[in-house]
Amino acid sequence: MGKTAIVTIIGRPSAGKSTFLNTATGEMVSIVSAIPQTTRNAIRGIVNTSLGQLVFVDTPGYHESDKKMNIRMRNIVADQLDASDLVLYIVDATRPCGEEEKLIASMLAPFVGKTVVAVNKVNGAQAKPAAAADFLLRVLPALPQDRIFEMSAKNDEGINEVLKALYNLAPEGQPFYDEDFYTDQEVDFRIAEVIREQAINRLDQEIPHCIYVQIADMEMRTPTKMWCRAFLVVEKESQKGIVIGKGAQMIKSIRVESIKQLRKIFDYKIDLDLQVKVEKNWRQKDLALNRIFR
């Protein structure tokens, strides 16, 4: 019998959690952006090897904020920590370990017995992995030093060592998913996330944080083609014009690139009808947040 475990990934915004998950699974499971707080939900990615199955849960970047949406994301992190067999704590070696890192460490203290740490982005120009390791040993004195690893998720360096450490801690058990699974996300969620990734990587300032994607309709019109209507939802009328762009060039670019990415994921074509609408102050409304955090 092989090893099997649910592994919660935790870390600050932009620490490289989603990049790790995509590299480890070899698939585009979690969207990636240079903009902090890209991940909003608990995203599952599945790694199958001869040693067994690790089911990773990518969580939103943990940070302090009293905004309603950010509180929801923090609660996701706390719930996943309680429910997981193991924890992978990813630390960004290119940024000083400050107050947010201390908050994460205090949250992890009760779970240190099931935690592995990956100090990420060690190839970065500003990387100080030794300083990060020293900080970790100070704030988590019960953490064994041999469970701290250096890694570059983007360059696929050090990931195998991290996986081996997690397998060593994982209990024996039957796999949760068939070997050909690399995620358990529903089709509508995956489509929405791809559209959101293409949007936030093309928009700047505060616009990316003001967007969510609503899937209105999906229909398989032939065995090889799906039709989907989706809305990019923003908070203000002024943002709607920015997302549409001059001559509708921005929304066209988001649609075309989304279709290209979706073709890499699904074995059928998706005809995407993409529009923009305004839902004022949606980040403060439970109805909209319930659509996102399901």
Side-chain angles (χ1 to χ4, degrees):
M1 186 180 295
K3 300 288 194 78
T4 305
I6 305 292
V7 186
T8 292
I9 309 174
I10 187 172
R12 290 164 70 187
S14 299
K17 301 181 296 298
S18 298
T19 301
F20 168 83
L21 185 61
N22 292 343
T23 304
T25 60
E27 301 287 349
M28 203 291 283
V29 175
S30 192
I31 66 175
V32 175
S33 171
I35 296 169
Q37 294 176 263
T38 298
T39 302
R40 291 174 175 170
N41 296 80
I43 309 293
R44 292 196 173 204
I46 303 156
V47 173
N48 292 292
T49 73
S50 60
L51 297 175
Q53 183 177 91
L54 297 176
V55 180
F56 288 95
V57 185
D58 184 16
T59 61
Y62 192 89
H63 75 296
E64 278 296 288
S65 171
D66 59 1
K67 293 181 179 179
K68 184 173 283 192
M69 190 170 81
N70 293 331
I71 290 171
R72 291 258 190 141
M73 290 193 289
R74 276 212 317 274
N75 289 341
I76 288 172
V77 176
D79 291 345
Q80 292 300 324
L81 282 175
D82 287 332
S84 64
D85 300 303
L86 301 173
V87 178
L88 174 60
Y89 176 20
I90 296 183
V91 180
D92 184 350
T94 66
R95 291 185 287 172
C97 295
E99 290 303 313
E100 283 186 339
E101 219 70 74
K102 290 179 182 178
L103 282 170
I104 295 173
S106 65
M107 175 185 280
L108 279 179
F111 307 102
V112 72
K114 62 178 186 179
T115 297
V116 170
V117 180
V119 179
N120 192 29
K121 305 183 186 179
V122 294
N123 294 334
Q126 306 298 320
K128 296 181 179 178
D134 289 343
F135 168 84
L136 291 164
L137 293 173
R138 286 199 311 273
V139 297
L140 291 171
L143 178 71
Q145 192 167 357
D146 61 2
R147 283 206 227 138
I148 301 174
F149 297 87
E150 294 187 3
M151 177 181 79
S152 172
K154 183 177 181 180
N155 296 333
D156 194 4
E157 296 174 3
I159 286 184
N160 285 339
E161 288 71 23
V162 172
L163 293 176
K164 287 176 185 176
L166 289 165
Y167 275 118
N168 286 338
L169 291 174
E172 290 189 348
Q174 295 294 332
F176 297 104
Y177 299 94
D178 291 340
E179 285 190 9
D180 57 345
F181 275 57
Y182 63 87
T183 186
D184 64 355
Q185 298 170 38
E186 298 291 340
V187 171
D188 61 337
F189 180 82
R190 299 204 76 189
I191 293 173
E193 285 290 271
V194 167
I195 296 169
R196 189 165 67 91
E197 179 182 43
Q198 296 306 315
I200 64 181
N201 284 330
R202 286 168 172 75
L203 299 164
D204 56 13
Q205 299 176 1
E206 281 299 303
I207 300 294
H209 297 296
C210 302
I211 285 178
Y212 81 89
V213 178
Q214 181 182 357
I215 304 298
D217 298 289
M218 293 192 309
E219 180 185 344
M220 289 299 298
R221 293 192 166 173
T222 74
T224 59
K225 191 171 186 178
M226 172 187 279
W227 173 82
C228 175
R229 176 185 288 124
F231 291 94
L232 280 164
V233 185
V234 294
E235 290 187 314
K236 301 175 183 178
E237 285 291 339
S238 59
Q239 296 166 348
K240 182 177 180 180
I242 294 171
V243 176
I244 293 173
K246 186 177 181 179
Q249 285 303 305
M250 179 61 75
I251 189 69
K252 179 180 179 180
S253 174
I254 293 168
R255 175 182 174 274
V256 169
E257 291 304 316
S258 295
I259 289 172
K260 287 180 182 177
Q261 292 303 313
L262 290 168
R263 285 178 180 170
K264 297 177 183 178
I265 295 172
F266 298 104
D267 56 5
Y268 47 83
K269 293 182 179 180
I270 294 179
D271 183 10
L272 184 60
D273 176 3
L274 185 60
Q275 303 175 38
V276 185
K277 69 177 181 178
V278 178
E279 188 174 334
K280 291 185 178 180
N281 301 318
W282 66 261
R283 284 183 291 179
Q284 299 302 317
K285 295 179 179 178
D286 287 330
L287 183 62
L289 295 176
N290 288 341
R291 291 192 197 113
I292 298 171
F293 301 108
R294 53 186 181 174

